[in-house]
Each structure stands twice: as structure tokens, then as C-alpha cells.
Amino acid sequence: MSSTFSFQCLACCSQTKARVGVFLTPHGIVETPRFMPVGTLANVKTLTPAQLKETGAQMVLSNTYHLHLQPGEKIVAGGGGLHKFMGWNGPMLTDSGGFQVFSLSEMRKITEDGVIFRSPHDGQIINLTPERSIEIQNTLGADVIMAFDECPPYPATRQEVEAATGRTYRWLQRCIAAHQRSDQALFGIVQGGVYLDLRSQAAVALAELDLPGYAIGGVSVGEPPELIANIVQATAPLLPPDKPRYLMGVGTYREMAIAIASGVDLFDCVIPTRWARHGTAMVLGDRWNLKNAKFREDFTPLDETCACYTCQNFTRAYISHLVRSQEILAYTLLSIHNISELIRFTQKIREAILGDRFATEFAHWLTPGEMG
């Protein structure tokens, strides 16, 4: 790992594989385990960087695919790079664009070279290769960048997943060769679908490359919760213990708790802001629709134990009124709370691991379920 990056494990749970760590980046530290908010287009929707900082966010994500299409990486670079462009001075991560190419593009052709697809903005044909993805991410300038991978859908045949997993490894080798900046850490991504032997083979092969960090990808693409849990429990322990482990696209209480018990450190998900834009609050792991009549005259905070700006200043009745009126402030207040809620959950787990209380205090969340 470059001298600008380091990961130190500070404590481990005696009954699970959960751990507490500190991930050092050029723009500051990330205390793990930690939830990371998603800022797809160089902003976390409806929030200013100052509001985002108040939620307890340390590391924020942006998206290579979307930023390449709009406004373009050269404009971001012209604005001083991603951090300066969006006014966020903390650690940042960009994903490779692989997931978006495979999930959002109606017209795409996958070859060994890369993926050819049609831009949804102007119809232009774009050829996104591992080298091009890395070039774009080098230009954007986030602290952590992700290898370009093929994310097979669920369900997919073993043959399809095997081909995608092999291609992901070959693309990773090309990403490593193309990577030009020592102040950016390149993470590899473990694919393999729901086939645990393929996951195991991929994890072992990636570990041998001695990368600065590792991600588990290709989950939350339609699988039932038990399968996600099985994948994470089988894969995470195979990744190097002295490097950060990142589970991509996961952000409910239960999913994060199970993954943390397996040794995962970092998480991201669009759930907190997406739910906010639908008038939904996350409260102690439950999902509340603020349009429900019961909230119209409820003059208590969303969560009396929550220290976020929303809970300290506004009532359920007021937020319900804003949601019903389709006022933009509703989405801001709910985003502040929902992001704070998930970060606070991972902070509580961190404290419990340090006190070796995790397995008992969070036992309720350590079995797969539909929600929470």
C-alpha cells in the first residue's frame, strides 16, 4: 500500500469476524466500520457539503459513468478535481462505471476489450474499456478508485457468471497497468454471483495481487437476503486482513450488521436519499412513510434518540406536511436524518466491537431478513 494510504485494525470481536479499523487517505481518515453516502453526480442529493459533514459522513462516493456523461471529467479537472469541484474536503471514492453500464444502458455490447454502449444523454456511441475507466478516474481525482468489472445480473447461469468473473480478473490486470497516480488507491472487485466456489477463487486470486483494498461486488442485484448473507460470509474472510474491505451497494441495518460480523469495513447505498425523495424515513432500522395519516398530528421528533439536525428541530407532523406538499425541504430533512441514521448505526457497532459487546448487543440484526 502506498505511503499515502494505510489500514490499521484496532480491535476484533471475540465471537465474530467483526473488526474496528482506521483507513488513512490523502484527504483524511475513515473510521471503520462506516457507512458512506452516495453522491452520484458530485453531490449527495439535496444536501450541501456542510450538511453532509454534520451527518458524520467521512467518505463520500461519486460515479464515473455519470460524471463522464455530465459534465465530463475534463470540466471536473478544470474545477480543481472532484474534491474542490463539489466542495468536499474529506475522503472520496469513485466507482468504475461498470455497474451502471450493465444496469442502465439499453444498448450495450460486451467484448473482451470493454463495453460499447449508447449515451442516454445524446445517443453518442461510447467505448468504455478498463483503461478508459481508470483514465477517467485518474482525471476526476478521488482518493479511492475502483477497477472496471463485469457485474452479472441475478439470476444468471453458472456459465455466464464464470465468464464474467474471468473477464473481471483480466480487466483488473489491465486497470493495474493503466493506473497512473500514486495518490489514488485502486481497489479490486470480487465477482462470482451466487456461486460460492467462484467467489472463493476470485477472492484468492485478487488477494495475491496485493492491492490497497478490496470490494465485494455483484450483490443487491436482485438476490434474496439469505443469498447475499451467504456470499458475504464466504467471501470477506478470504480477503487480506490488513486491507480495507468494502461491500458495494448495501445499506440496511441487517445487511450491514451481517457483513460487519463477516469482517467487512465499508458500505455504500443510495437508499437514504432515494427513500427521502419518496417521503420515507429510516427510524431504528424500520421504514416509515411520512404520508401516512398517523403522522399528521404527531408532534414528536422522528427519533428522540437521534442528534441530527432534523430530529433536534422538527416534528413528524411538520415533515409529513412538507412531504404531502411536495416541498423540497422535506427531501433535505429526510436525507439528513436517513444518512445520519445509517452512519450512527455503524458508529454504534464500532463502539460495541471496541467493548467486545457486538455479538450480544446486535444479535437481533445478525440473521438474514427482508428489512432493517
Side-chain angles (χ1 to χ4, degrees), residues 70-299:
Q70 177 67 35
E73 62 275 11
K74 289 182 180 177
I75 289 177
V76 175
L82 196 50
H83 295 86
K84 190 173 181 183
F85 187 63
M86 69 176 283
W88 175 259
N89 61 7
M92 289 201 71
L93 180 153
T94 45
D95 63 9
S96 69
F99 175 77
Q100 284 70 31
V101 168
F102 294 108
S103 63
L104 300 180
S105 295
E106 291 180 11
M107 194 224 85
R108 64 178 183 270
K109 181 182 178 183
I110 305 166
T111 69
E112 187 63 26
D113 184 53
V115 184
I116 299 170
F117 65 97
R118 190 180 295 279
S119 167
H121 286 261
D122 57 12
Q124 179 185 353
I125 299 297
I126 297 173
N127 183 18
L128 191 58
T129 63
E131 292 81 5
R132 188 75 182 98
S133 173
I134 295 300
E135 181 186 6
I136 295 168
Q137 293 186 81
N138 284 166
T139 304
L140 291 171
D143 301 275
V144 172
I145 65 176
M146 303 303 299
F148 190 62
D149 61 327
E150 182 176 347
C151 182
Y154 176 85
T157 67
R158 181 184 175 89
Q159 187 177 10
E160 290 168 334
V161 174
E162 207 161 1
T165 306
R167 187 175 287 123
T168 291
Y169 182 77
R170 294 189 296 276
W171 282 358
L172 170 58
Q173 292 176 308
R174 289 165 57 188
C175 287
I176 294 169
H179 184 32
Q180 296 293 318
R181 292 180 57 166
S182 61
D183 61 343
Q184 291 181 304
L186 172 62
F187 281 24
I189 304 174
V190 178
Q191 290 290 353
V194 297
Y195 303 98
L196 299 187
D197 60 322
L198 296 182
R199 288 278 180 180
S200 174
Q201 291 167 24
V204 170
L206 264 63
E208 290 176 354
L209 297 174
D210 193 29
L211 297 166
Y214 295 86
I216 300 172
V219 299
S220 288
V221 290
E223 318 92 324
E226 316 83 65
L227 285 183
I228 296 176
N230 290 345
I231 291 165
V232 175
Q233 287 164 349
T235 308
L238 300 174
L239 297 173
D242 59 339
K243 307 289 177 67
R245 301 165 178 159
Y246 161 34
L247 179 59
M248 306 178 78
V250 160
T252 66
Y253 270 31
R254 195 175 302 279
E255 287 172 326
M256 290 195 296
I258 290 170
I260 289 168
S262 304
V264 173
D265 308 299
L266 298 167
F267 308 87
D268 81 284
C269 193
V270 297
I271 278 178
T273 50
R274 179 174 289 170
W275 283 6
R277 296 193 303 280
H278 288 88
T280 300
M282 184 179 283
V283 182
L284 300 176
D286 291 330
R287 185 176 180 174
W288 291 4
N289 182 352
L290 271 297
K291 294 175 185 173
N292 287 348
K294 65 180 180 180
F295 295 117
R296 296 190 74 162
E297 296 183 55
D298 186 339
F299 301 105

Side-chain angles (χ1 to χ4, degrees), residues 288-349:
W288 291 4
N289 182 352
L290 271 297
K291 294 175 185 173
N292 287 348
K294 65 180 180 180
F295 295 117
R296 296 190 74 162
E297 296 183 55
D298 186 339
F299 301 105
T300 58
L302 284 173
D303 179 357
E304 291 179 348
T305 70
C306 181
C308 82
Y309 173 77
T310 301
C311 290
Q312 291 300 306
N313 291 280
F314 303 99
T315 65
R316 299 171 185 177
Y318 179 65
I319 299 169
S320 176
H321 153 65
L322 294 178
V323 169
R324 289 166 176 274
S325 306
Q326 296 185 316
E327 285 289 336
I328 293 171
L329 181 59
Y331 314 138
T332 297
L333 295 180
L334 285 171
S335 292
I336 288 171
H337 170 74
N338 289 349
I339 291 172
S340 299
E341 174 92 4
L342 290 179
I343 291 172
R344 190 167 62 125
F345 181 70
T346 54
Q347 285 176 307
K348 284 180 178 176
I349 287 181

Side-chain angles (χ1 to χ4, degrees), residues 21-75:
V22 176
F23 179 37
L24 176 67
T25 79
H27 284 87
I29 65 166
V30 185
E31 297 168 322
T32 66
R34 198 81 173 192
F35 176 79
M36 305 180 291
V38 176
T40 302
L41 279 161
N43 76 299
V44 175
K45 293 189 189 303
T46 73
L47 299 188
T48 68
Q51 290 169 323
L52 188 58
K53 196 169 185 65
E54 286 190 3
T55 66
Q58 290 181 334
M59 193 167 199
V60 177
L61 274 71
S62 274
N63 182 267
T64 298
Y65 170 89
H66 290 291
L67 288 173
H68 174 61
L69 296 177
Q70 177 67 35
E73 62 275 11
K74 289 182 180 177
I75 289 177

